[in-house]
Amino acid sequence: MTETKPSLSVSAADIEAAAKVVAPFAVRTPLLSFPVLDERAGTKVFLKPEMLQRTGSFKFRGAFNKLASIPQANRSGGVVAFSSGNHAQGVAAAAKILSMQATIVMPADAPLSKRERTKSYGAEVVLYDRDKEDREAIANGIAGKRGATLVRPYDDPFVIAGQGTAGREIAEDMVARGLTPDIVVAPASGGGLIAGVATAVKSRFPGAEIVVAEPAGYDDHALSLKAGHREPHPAAARTICDALMAAMPGELTFAINSKLLARGVSASDEEVAAAVAFAYRELKLVVEPGGAVGLAALLAGRIDARGKNVVIVLSGGNVDADLFAKLVA
């Protein structure tokens, strides 16, 4: 008797369904190419600029798909989420569109711009100490008291499917160009974005290599892929990639990523800073550090890309003005 492999929790069909839900509200971001980048990389590179997405990052896709899935009868209690900023804004914006109350648990050291933008969508922000307090426990406590729905940042099938719409667009746009994406690179914190992107891209291009990019020291996905099970990263210090500081891959996301990802690459804070500056000076794009880690790995020579079509997801552009000024100076 042949053993059958368990099916993945999120399918290409789920992403197709999510695309129909988010299409009226999300931006269909383009694939961009630049001669100066192609020359620097020695190959053809396409960038997926999710900083042009609503709320400035890919997170709106998954947040809206999740909130839209909540039955009307369960919406009166609102939603609760925990996030360092991008998921927070995505949930807050989606809740505003759907006339739901949002409460966001955010670390007190999250960039001020992300906290203020989250509030601007009408969300209540509850701050916590990321070194001493458990954000998920705080969020669960609030949800329990208010009868609210907890919206996880990555370990949720609707969130993953929503993020996968970015991968669906990549596949469609490469088909329209008559090209095959040989390597697709996306950053990861909990792994929801790259799980969705990998599912969508691999459904159209099974031979595509999906590569996860992480800050140096925060390479828990790379460690987990090598180990064959979830491993935490060893980092104790901070990274300028504030959006990519999850302790280890999500349980649901890693179940997908362990099957679909080829490998992991990383970039130091210095390399990420150089990539942010390169994107601004040469490409005229504003990318936050966490959103630029894939580009940083490419520019640092961590990806063997010569002669291949490379797609890199720039996941967001929500960076404090003061930090950005230092990085591009």
Side-chain angles (χ1 to χ4, degrees):
M1 181 177 175
T2 303
E3 183 179 352
T4 57
K5 294 182 179 180
S7 61
L8 298 180
S9 57
V10 176
S11 67
D14 295 324
I15 295 172
E16 288 292 322
K20 295 177 182 177
V21 172
V22 306
F25 304 96
V27 175
R28 194 188 198 289
T29 57
L31 276 186
L32 304 177
S33 61
F34 303 87
V36 65
L37 177 57
D38 293 348
E39 183 177 350
R40 172 77 179 270
T43 193
K44 193 68 177 175
V45 182
F46 298 92
L47 301 179
K48 181 69 168 171
E50 282 296 291
M51 61 278 190
L52 304 181
Q53 184 54 256
R54 198 164 186 159
T55 73
S57 90
F58 72 95
K59 288 288 191 177
F60 177 78
R61 297 173 182 269
F64 190 86
N65 193 49
K66 172 60 179 179
L67 267 63
S69 76
I70 300 172
Q72 285 289 345
N74 297 340
R75 294 186 181 185
S76 60
V79 293
V80 179
F82 47 88
S83 165
S84 63
N86 286 336
H87 179 60
Q89 292 175 76
V91 171
K96 183 176 182 179
I97 292 169
L98 295 170
S99 300
M100 300 171 68
Q101 178 58 43
T103 302
I104 314 296
V105 178
M106 300 184 71
D109 62 353
L112 178 61
S113 61
K114 292 184 177 182
R115 283 184 275 150
E116 292 304 315
R117 288 194 192 106
T118 301
K119 291 179 182 178
S120 74
Y121 293 111
E124 175 190 359
V125 172
V126 176
L127 300 178
Y128 77 99
D129 184 330
R130 76 163 87 218
D131 293 319
K132 299 178 181 178
E133 296 179 285
D134 184 336
R135 65 179 188 173
E136 190 164 353
I138 295 172
N140 272 311
I142 295 172
K145 290 178 182 178
R146 301 181 182 179
T149 299
L150 181 66
V151 183
R152 298 183 180 278
Y154 43 84
D155 256 350
D156 183 287
F158 286 98
V159 170
I160 296 170
Q163 319 304 27
T165 60
R168 177 181 179 273
E169 291 170 12
I170 289 171
E172 287 183 343
D173 288 350
M174 290 299 280
V175 168
R177 287 172 166 81
L179 298 174
T180 296
D182 298 305
I183 301 173
V184 177
V185 186
S189 182
L193 170 63
I194 198 164
V197 167
T199 300
V201 172
K202 296 284 276 187
S203 71
R204 296 288 293 271
F205 298 100
E209 286 187 292
I210 313 298
V211 177
V212 58
E214 300 170 284
Y218 285 81
D219 54 344
D220 46 289
H221 283 78
L223 293 172
S224 299
L225 290 173
K226 290 178 181 177
H229 56 81
R230 293 193 300 152
E231 285 280 349
H233 62 67
R238 291 283 188 264
T239 170
I240 61 172
C241 302
D242 63 278
L244 305 181
M245 292 173 61
M248 70 168 65
E251 183 176 0
L252 179 55
T253 56
F254 189 68
I256 297 170
N257 290 328
S258 62
K259 296 177 176 68
L260 299 182
L261 304 192
R263 62 188 181 281
V265 294
S266 63
S268 67
D269 276 5
E270 292 75 19
E271 290 164 342
V272 169
V276 170
F278 177 85
Y280 175 68
R281 294 172 185 159
E282 302 295 339
L283 314 181
K284 310 310 175 188
L285 299 175
V286 175
V287 191
E288 66 181 280
V293 69
L295 178 62
L298 177 71
L299 297 178
R302 306 277 156 64
I303 300 170
D304 182 12
R306 290 190 177 274
K308 299 177 181 179
N309 294 318
V310 181
V311 180
I312 298 178
V313 180
L314 304 178
S315 57
N318 294 317
V319 55
D320 270 342
D322 289 345
L323 173 60
F324 187 72
K326 292 178 183 178
L327 297 179
V328 302

